């Protein structure tokens, strides 16, 4: 399964920041909306991996690091796929889905880490 055009609308970023939620908009969309759909699909199709092509040409790999730290994707040396011409300059990333529901629960468990300090 491939995530295509996963990005946030810049017009929504300001509204999101005003809400004061300590999580990034894309992170919440991923764990709250996309992962449940992926779990439903796994029951029908039996997918093992989720992958994406990170369109990140920055020297510091800001987007790639975001996908690693917030969404759980990894770089791949052992897994790969045919890369469409459209995604040729992108970095291939993947994650295993076998424990995705546990990782989703962990996301919610750490959703408001500063709340305990209050």
């Amino acid at each position: 399964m491939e995530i295509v055009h996963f990005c946030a609308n810049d017009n929504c970023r300001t509204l999101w920041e005003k809400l004061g939620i300590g999580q990034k908009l894309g992170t919440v969309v991923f764990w709250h909306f996309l992962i449940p759909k992926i779990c439903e699909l796994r029951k029908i199709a039996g997918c093992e991996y989720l992958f994406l092509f990170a369109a990140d040409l920055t020297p510091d790999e800001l987007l790639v690091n975001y996908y690693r730290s917030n969404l759980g994707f990894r770089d791949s040396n052992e897994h790969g796929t045919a890369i469409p011409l459209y995604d040729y300059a992108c970095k291939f990333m993947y994650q295993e889905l076998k424990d995705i529901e546990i990782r989703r629960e962990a996301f919610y468990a750490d959703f408001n880490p500063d709340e305990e300090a209050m």
Side-chain angles (χ1 to χ4, degrees), residues 2-9 13 24-31 33-35 51-55 63 66-67 70-71 73:
E2 177 184 358
I3 296 175
V4 180
H5 298 290
F6 183 71
C7 55
N9 182 329
R13 290 183 197 277
K24 294 186 177 286
L25 175 59
T27 305
V28 172
V29 168
F30 180 79
W31 290 109
F33 295 103
L34 292 180
I35 293 303
F51 64 91
L52 61 74
F53 296 104
L63 186 59
Y66 168 80
Y67 289 142
N70 292 295
L71 307 185
F73 282 91

